[in-house]
Amino acid sequence: MKNLINVETDFDVVIAGAGPAGLSAGIYIGRSGLNVLILEKTVVGGKVIYTYEIENYPGFKKVDGFTLAKSFEEQALALGAKIEYSGLKSFEKTDIFNITLENGRVITSKVLILATGTKENHLGVPGEKEYYGKGVSYCATCDGPGPRFKDKPIVVVGGGYSAIEEGNYLTRFGSVVHIVHRRKQFRVDTKSLKKAEENPKIVFHYDSVVEEITGTANEGVTGVRIKNVLTNEVSEIKAVGVFPFIGQNPVVDYITDTNLLNQDKQIVADINMQTSIEGLFTAGDVRNTPFRQIATAVADGALAGQNAVRYIENLD
């Protein structure tokens, strides 16, 4: 490594993304005494704040997403991390990182950690945005076991592996799971599809698309309107939840070096969260990980944060 320990930079470490992974990294780096800035373009806590109830995060029998995310944020700030509300526009690595923010500011850092997460593909229909977190969810594992869906009808939208697998999973909680797919053919292995077809709690709606998610301010989601693409017939399904599984994409629009990404546009990293660029780490849902949960994102952040500290300690 080059001797950069005495090179002046605005920050020792910059973290792009203030979800569980970014905040976890910030906690470890802040605790080490380094100067760390966390960037966030939308809301601190990421998708976690929209999760109604969490029962699978260690240490909490039950906690709402906002409370958990706020705890992450307060701990990071208490340990010295700073937070700036701006997204990452681009970065360039010379001896140090030259980082351009979406607000136009240019800053420098010895280390950069990318924890920008993923963005779900949305249905783009009325009611989807309005009832996000009030019945509309993109994570069955996170929200399915919550009391809202217990013994109530649920709608799953999609025709891929996630839609079928999560549909099967949601039958553990809901009274019935309606799977809405715009075709008759599914992009999934035969065994998984057969399991769903033989599940008495799953009802398929083939050749159909969701036109609207209905609900009220007090109740949240109350149902969906679907249209058959072959007959144009419109019908309604009563449901308290809608789970669109039509794909998600890593947030990597700021990356110009495609060698950092795999074929799914996920950032490739080793077990230490180190990418192919020296001093560039990644963590959480944006990386090539087989499982995307709060617990795994926090673990990624811990690894990225601690290894970033070690990287800086070894610069000289």
Side-chain angles (χ1 to χ4, degrees), residues 181-229:
H181 181 37
R182 66 182 304 119
R183 302 179 183 85
K184 283 190 175 68
Q185 294 77 31
F186 289 83
R187 303 179 305 278
V188 65
D189 63 273
T190 303
K191 184 177 179 180
S192 296
L193 181 58
K194 184 179 180 181
K195 181 180 177 182
E197 290 174 335
E198 293 177 349
N199 192 319
K201 294 177 75 174
I202 289 181
V203 176
F204 288 92
H205 301 266
Y206 303 106
D207 302 316
S208 298
V209 295
V210 172
E211 287 210 315
E212 181 182 4
I213 298 172
T214 59
T216 67
N218 292 330
E219 296 178 83
V221 171
T222 58
V224 298
R225 291 175 65 246
I226 66 171
K227 183 179 79 171
N228 186 292
V229 296

Side-chain angles (χ1 to χ4, degrees), residues 34 38 61 68 74 93 98 121 138 168-169 179 189 206 213 246 262 294 299 304:
L34 294 178
I38 305 173
K61 289 183 178 179
L68 184 61
E74 290 173 352
K93 173 68 187 296
N98 298 282
N121 294 331
Y138 303 90
N168 273 315
Y169 173 74
I179 297 182
D189 63 273
Y206 303 106
I213 298 172
I246 55 174
N262 64 13
I294 301 171

Side-chain angles (χ1 to χ4, degrees), residues 131-197:
Y131 301 117
Y132 180 33
K134 299 179 180 179
V136 174
S137 171
Y138 303 90
C139 180
T141 310
C142 305
D143 298 327
R148 176 180 183 85
F149 306 106
K150 184 173 176 58
D151 299 323
K152 300 289 177 59
I154 298 169
V155 171
V156 169
V157 186
Y161 182 83
S162 293
I164 295 300
E165 284 296 300
E166 303 293 19
N168 273 315
Y169 173 74
L170 287 166
T171 60
R172 301 182 189 182
F173 316 108
S175 58
V176 59
V177 174
H178 299 271
I179 297 182
V180 179
H181 181 37
R182 66 182 304 119
R183 302 179 183 85
K184 283 190 175 68
Q185 294 77 31
F186 289 83
R187 303 179 305 278
V188 65
D189 63 273
T190 303
K191 184 177 179 180
S192 296
L193 181 58
K194 184 179 180 181
K195 181 180 177 182
E197 290 174 335

Side-chain angles (χ1 to χ4, degrees), residues 2-316:
K2 294 184 179 181
N3 186 353
L4 301 176
I5 194 67
N6 294 317
V7 172
E8 288 295 325
T9 55
D10 297 312
F11 300 94
D12 294 313
V13 182
V14 169
I15 302 168
L23 291 170
S24 175
I27 287 168
Y28 274 79
I29 296 165
R31 192 165 177 264
S32 75
L34 294 178
N35 187 11
V36 55
L37 176 70
I38 305 173
L39 304 172
E40 177 52 55
K41 68 184 298 180
T42 54
V43 60
V44 174
K47 299 173 190 173
V48 174
I49 68 165
Y50 299 109
T51 304
Y52 176 73
E53 197 169 77
I54 299 164
E55 295 179 315
N56 61 348
Y57 188 77
F60 297 87
K61 289 183 178 179
K62 192 178 294 184
V63 62
D64 67 272
F66 180 84
T67 299
L68 184 61
K70 196 66 179 174
S71 297
F72 290 161
E73 177 187 5
E74 290 173 352
Q75 187 175 3
L77 291 172
L79 289 169
K82 303 176 184 68
I83 296 176
E84 180 169 340
Y85 285 91
S86 179
L88 170 63
K89 183 178 180 180
S90 64
F91 67 89
E92 179 186 12
K93 173 68 187 296
T94 53
D95 287 340
I96 59 174
F97 287 93
N98 298 282
I99 301 164
T100 302
L101 310 188
E102 288 184 348
N103 64 12
R105 201 156 80 95
V106 178
I107 57 178
T108 57
S109 178
K110 296 182 177 72
V111 169
L112 176 61
I113 298 175
L114 305 176
T116 46
T118 60
K119 185 176 181 180
E120 294 87 0
N121 294 331
H122 290 184
L123 298 170
V125 300
E128 183 176 21
K129 182 178 180 180
E130 293 83 346
Y131 301 117
Y132 180 33
K134 299 179 180 179
V136 174
S137 171
Y138 303 90
C139 180
T141 310
C142 305
D143 298 327
R148 176 180 183 85
F149 306 106
K150 184 173 176 58
D151 299 323
K152 300 289 177 59
I154 298 169
V155 171
V156 169
V157 186
Y161 182 83
S162 293
I164 295 300
E165 284 296 300
E166 303 293 19
N168 273 315
Y169 173 74
L170 287 166
T171 60
R172 301 182 189 182
F173 316 108
S175 58
V176 59
V177 174
H178 299 271
I179 297 182
V180 179
H181 181 37
R182 66 182 304 119
R183 302 179 183 85
K184 283 190 175 68
Q185 294 77 31
F186 289 83
R187 303 179 305 278
V188 65
D189 63 273
T190 303
K191 184 177 179 180
S192 296
L193 181 58
K194 184 179 180 181
K195 181 180 177 182
E197 290 174 335
E198 293 177 349
N199 192 319
K201 294 177 75 174
I202 289 181
V203 176
F204 288 92
H205 301 266
Y206 303 106
D207 302 316
S208 298
V209 295
V210 172
E211 287 210 315
E212 181 182 4
I213 298 172
T214 59
T216 67
N218 292 330
E219 296 178 83
V221 171
T222 58
V224 298
R225 291 175 65 246
I226 66 171
K227 183 179 79 171
N228 186 292
V229 296
L230 300 181
T231 66
N232 288 325
E233 179 184 354
V234 176
S235 59
E236 295 187 6
I237 302 173
K238 290 184 178 180
V240 300
V242 179
F243 289 81
F245 293 114
I246 55 174
Q248 59 182 347
N249 294 298
V251 178
V252 292
D253 51 314
Y254 50 82
I255 289 180
T256 56
D257 183 357
T258 56
N259 291 323
L260 289 169
L261 310 175
N262 64 13
Q263 67 274 15
D264 297 317
K265 294 188 176 180
Q266 300 163 339
I267 300 175
V268 178
D270 61 21
I271 59 173
N272 295 314
M273 304 298 121
Q274 169 74 60
T275 71
S276 58
I277 294 178
E278 190 175 286
L280 180 67
F281 298 84
T282 186
D285 290 1
V286 75
R287 80 171 185 90
N288 56 326
T289 176
F291 195 44
R292 291 175 169 82
Q293 289 287 286
I294 301 171
T296 58
V298 167
D300 278 6
L303 280 165
Q306 190 59 29
N307 283 307
V309 172
R310 289 175 179 170
Y311 174 83
I312 290 176
E313 289 175 343
N314 290 324
L315 282 176
D316 59 346

